[in-house]
Structures are given as C-alpha cells and as structure tokens.
Amino acid sequence: MSEGGIASWKKKEGETFTTGDVLLEIVRLSLAPASLSISLTSIRQETDKATIDVEAQDDGILAKIIAQDGAKGVQVGAAIAIVAEEGDDLSGASDLAAQAASESIGTEKVPEPSKPAVPEPSKPEPSKPQVDTKPDLPTGDRIFASPIAKKIALERGIPLGQVKGSGPSGRIIRTDVENYKPAAAQATSATIPASQVAAEADYVDTPISNMRRTIGSRLTQSKQELPHYYLNVGINMDKVLKLREVFNKTLTEKDKSAKLSVNDFIVKAVACALSDVPEANSAWLGEVIRTYKKADISVAVATPTGLITPIVKDAGSKGLATISAETKALAKKARDGKLQPAEYQGGTFTISNLGMFGIDHFTAIINPPQSCILAVGATQPTLVPAPEEERGFKTVQIMNVTLSSDHRTVDGAVGARWMAAFKGYLENPLTFML
C-alpha cells in the first residue's frame, strides 16, 4: 500500500490519550497490508482489513490534526497529526503542522528512482565508521522518532541522524537514544593506552531503574515548582518514652514480637494534629485546594531500589497497636517489593524519619500534590533550664522535627498552629488516647 485515506478521527484536538486508545480509522486503497504513520509518534497498525483502527502505543495529547476526516490519497509516511506529551507547550502545534505538511508535499515530489544517487558521495575514507551508524529511515530524509526519544536526544546533545532506530520501519525509540555511543568514541577507544583505560574504569555505572527515575522526576518537580518553607521545633519526648516502655511491657507479655516504636506515637500525633488543623491536610490541585477529612499518613521507607511511601489509612481512627502492626507489615512488603499501588498512592501527609540513623535535623522535600512533609530527627539528651531543680537545670530527651510546607496551601501561621498541636500531643501523649 502506497497511500490511504482517513475515515474518521476518534480523538479531538487537545484531547489526551493513553496506550491502546483508538486514535483514528484509516481506509486502505489497495489489497496489500496497510501502514500509516503519525508524525512524532511510534503509532503503527498493520492489518488486511479495509478499515483499520490505529491505536496509540504511548500516552500523549493530540495537539493538531493535519489530515482531516475524509481525506484521501494520503501517502504512507506522511504526517497526519502532531502529538505531544503532558506538560508540553502546544502553542506552536499549528506551525509544526504546517511545516510537517509542507515537508510531506516535498517528499511526495521526489521520485523514488533518485535514491541510487546517494552512494555517489561515498568518496570519504572508508575508515570512518559514520556509514554504519546511519539509521534505516522509512522514506526520504525525514527522521522518525518518538517524542521521548527526541526529548532525551535534545537534553544529551545526541544527533538523531546518527542513531540507528530499532522501532517499526527504523523508528528511533527511547532505548536507541539511551544506548547510543558516538562513533568517534568507539574508534578512538582502541588507541587509548591500557594504563589510561584502567584509570578511567575506576568507577561503576548503575543503570537507572524505573523507580529511581520516577523518584528523581517527582522530587525535582517538587523542589522547582513548590514554594517550600520550613518550621523547626524541639519536642520533649520524656513522657512518650516512659509510656512506650509501660505499653511494651504489657504487649510483650501477650506477644513478644509486638512492640511499639516512637514512630507509632508520631504517626498518631500527626493524625490528631491534622484533625485540629485540617488546612495542613490538603493538596494543591491547580484550580482548587482540596482539604481531606481523613488523615492518610504516608510513611517513608527505604528499600534496596529506592524510597517508597506506604500509607497508614485513616490513622486518626486507629490505636497505637493497630498503627504499629500496619506500619511493620507495610514496611516489610515495601522492602520485598510486594506493595500494591493502592498501598502507596493517595496519601495526604508524609513522615520521613531518619532518627534511627542518628540524624538530629534535616529538611525533607514535599511529596506532591500533598502540602506537607514532616522530617523527624533523633531523640537526644539535652540540658534545659529547670528552676524547680536544686541544680537549676535538668536533662530531657529532645527530638527535633522540621515541617516542610507548600506556601500555596499552608500559610506560615497555619504551619505554626499545626506544629504547636503536634508538639502538644507528643509532650502529653495521654491526650490522644482519650
């Protein structure tokens, strides 16, 4: 099949689509298997049916339709639409569509027999490996690559013309760009002295996992887009530690493995403080600020593959023993890589505790769209003034915590009220058991 027609578009301009969605129907004009490409995507469908459904192979947005419903005589390989990714600027879609349409017209006028003229400029020295790195392009001189492949190539300064595509009909996909090695580097590596190679190999490159890539992307977005501010306070943990000791003696008599941690008290106190100051239990959603009625507490857990935040649902309605059991079970599933999406997606407030590593103070990055994250440091003995004591001072166990807040949703006064409520619950832990 050399050309086809557009039966109808199933998506409108500006509408989003996901992998597997039907974008349009095309009509075959011959009995050979049909194949139409959408510019800037890796969408391709092959079949023997007269009318063909074209499905999306990536998520994206239909920015501009070039070939409208009922269009006929559309050449295979011609651009029929402009697609983009979430967050892309769509203001230039019309210009891109016009440019793509003109390029398609230009390529149609180039006669096919003119291709044998390409070997003519093969006069350069055969030692140059540039010939081997040329991709197998579909038609003409246009380069077909997925949007993410073009984005990575732009960020890394990789010329797409030198990348060999492994996708359908030589289309360049993400892995092709990530695995690209400059031909010059390959050619000169043989001339590097063995001693220099040994010195340069004194490191290990670890491929980035999907989880690590997601963590990096979300935290970078949070730090760049969210107006963070920080509030720090020291909390007297003497009563919590004494109460924990009493509870653990009682619990271990029934079950030796059942022990409350300081973090269990922190989770409960956070939930109670969110009930007192619900403005902190919120999320910025662009057009609205959503305030949650329940405290779903995300607890940061370090795993071999990266950080993940399983959720203790509705922590305010649960007792310390229940919170302790759920937190331990979720942490184990997280380390074993067995968490279900519902168990780590959708929290309303996050706790990150590095106190067990001896860190006395740090600031954490907000987990969007949440408004707050609490960074918990170690509990350490500290001398404080005590006029009632004969010596005039005493030693208390002080825990430093830092609240990171999104200033768009939580003003400084609101953050201060929440910190005061949280501190009050931990310094008088019996109050959240009433």
Side-chain angles (χ1 to χ4, degrees):
M1 174 179 173
S2 60
E3 62 181 32
I6 307 298
S8 64
W9 284 92
K10 302 303 181 183
K11 296 289 182 180
K12 299 179 181 178
E13 290 185 358
E15 190 173 352
T16 60
F17 57 83
T18 58
T19 303
D21 286 353
V22 176
L23 297 179
L24 74 156
E25 289 183 352
I26 61 175
V27 181
R28 285 193 305 115
L29 299 184
S30 70
L31 295 178
S35 175
L36 279 181
S37 298
I38 292 184
S39 179
L40 304 183
T41 70
S42 58
I43 301 171
R44 180 167 293 273
Q45 181 75 22
E46 297 188 359
T47 180
D48 289 330
K49 297 180 181 179
T51 302
I52 306 163
D53 289 339
V54 179
E55 297 181 354
Q57 294 185 1
D58 295 301
D59 297 348
I61 302 173
L62 186 58
K64 187 69 177 176
I65 295 176
I66 299 174
Q68 301 294 331
D69 292 354
K72 297 180 180 180
V74 180
Q75 296 294 318
V76 172
I80 60 175
I82 300 294
V83 298
E85 294 180 321
E86 285 286 350
D88 286 350
D89 183 5
L90 304 183
S91 59
S94 298
D95 295 338
L96 286 174
Q99 180 181 353
S102 63
E103 289 179 359
S104 298
I105 295 172
T107 55
E108 290 173 14
K109 294 181 178 180
V110 177
E112 194 68 27
S114 64
K115 280 191 174 181
V118 175
E120 191 66 27
S122 60
K123 295 180 181 179
E125 298 179 7
S127 60
K128 290 187 178 181
Q130 186 175 359
V131 177
D132 294 333
T133 60
K134 276 287 184 182
D136 296 332
L137 299 179
T139 306
D141 294 327
R142 292 178 57 207
I143 298 175
F144 288 84
S146 68
I148 189 64
K150 292 190 175 185
K151 182 178 180 182
I152 296 174
L154 181 62
E155 292 174 349
R156 300 185 182 181
I158 297 175
L160 285 176
Q162 297 181 13
V163 179
K164 186 174 181 63
S166 61
S169 298
R171 185 181 301 278
I172 299 171
I173 59 177
R174 178 179 196 156
T175 54
D176 299 329
V177 179
E178 292 178 339
N179 297 332
Y180 169 76
K181 293 182 179 179
Q186 295 176 0
T188 57
S189 60
T191 62
I192 300 176
S195 59
Q196 186 175 348
V197 172
E200 291 180 354
D202 192 18
Y203 58 82
V204 176
D205 288 336
T206 303
I208 299 175
S209 65
N210 290 335
M211 185 175 186
R212 178 59 60 185
R213 182 178 286 106
T214 301
I215 292 172
S217 174
R218 286 178 60 83
L219 294 184
T220 300
Q221 177 190 8
S222 175
K223 198 64 175 176
Q224 290 177 345
E225 297 181 3
L226 273 61
H228 287 60
Y229 74 91
Y230 311 96
L231 301 175
N232 177 260
V233 71
I235 300 174
N236 186 337
M237 297 293 287
D238 283 351
K239 292 181 180 180
V240 166
L241 296 177
K242 289 178 182 178
L243 191 60
R244 173 175 175 259
E245 183 180 358
V246 173
F247 282 171
N248 282 342
K249 283 183 180 180
T250 304
L251 289 172
T252 51
E253 290 176 0
K254 300 178 181 179
D255 184 0
K256 293 184 178 180
S257 62
K259 284 188 177 182
L260 300 178
S261 68
V262 172
N263 205 60
D264 300 329
F265 285 83
I266 293 172
V267 171
K268 181 66 176 180
V270 164
C272 291
L274 289 174
S275 178
D276 292 347
V277 188
E279 297 93 330
N281 195 30
S282 60
W284 176 271
L285 300 181
E287 298 299 325
V288 298
I289 295 174
R290 178 171 296 171
T291 302
Y292 298 98
K293 297 179 180 180
K294 295 181 180 180
D296 295 337
I297 309 301
S298 303
V299 181
V301 176
T303 71
T305 56
L307 191 70
I308 195 167
T309 53
I311 302 167
V312 180
K313 300 289 183 65
D314 195 10
S317 66
K318 297 175 179 176
L320 289 170
T322 303
I323 291 174
S324 178
E326 287 190 12
T327 302
K328 290 175 182 176
L330 289 169
K332 185 178 186 305
K333 291 179 71 174
R335 295 187 182 99
D336 294 341
K338 297 180 180 179
L339 279 178
Q340 299 299 315
E343 293 176 316
Y344 62 84
Q345 294 178 356
T348 64
F349 188 104
T350 299
I351 299 172
S352 180
N353 191 342
L354 295 180
M356 67 284 293
F357 299 106
I359 304 300
D360 61 349
H361 171 265
F362 70 104
T363 57
I365 301 174
I366 298 170
N367 183 20
Q370 297 176 14
S371 294
C372 300
I373 182 170
L374 185 70
V376 180
T379 300
Q380 297 179 335
T382 307
L383 293 178
V384 298
E388 71 279 5
E389 297 287 336
E390 182 179 351
R391 297 178 297 176
F393 64 89
K394 63 179 180 179
T395 302
V396 298
Q397 299 293 327
I398 298 294
M399 179 180 72
N400 280 314
V401 297
T402 301
L403 180 70
S404 302
S405 301
D406 182 349
H407 218 315
R408 298 175 300 179
T409 54
V410 179
D411 292 332
V414 174
R417 284 198 293 116
W418 186 90
M419 286 289 271
F422 174 69
K423 179 178 180 179
Y425 281 117
L426 284 182
E427 293 189 342
N428 298 280
L430 290 177
T431 56
F432 57 68
M433 299 179 188
L434 298 176

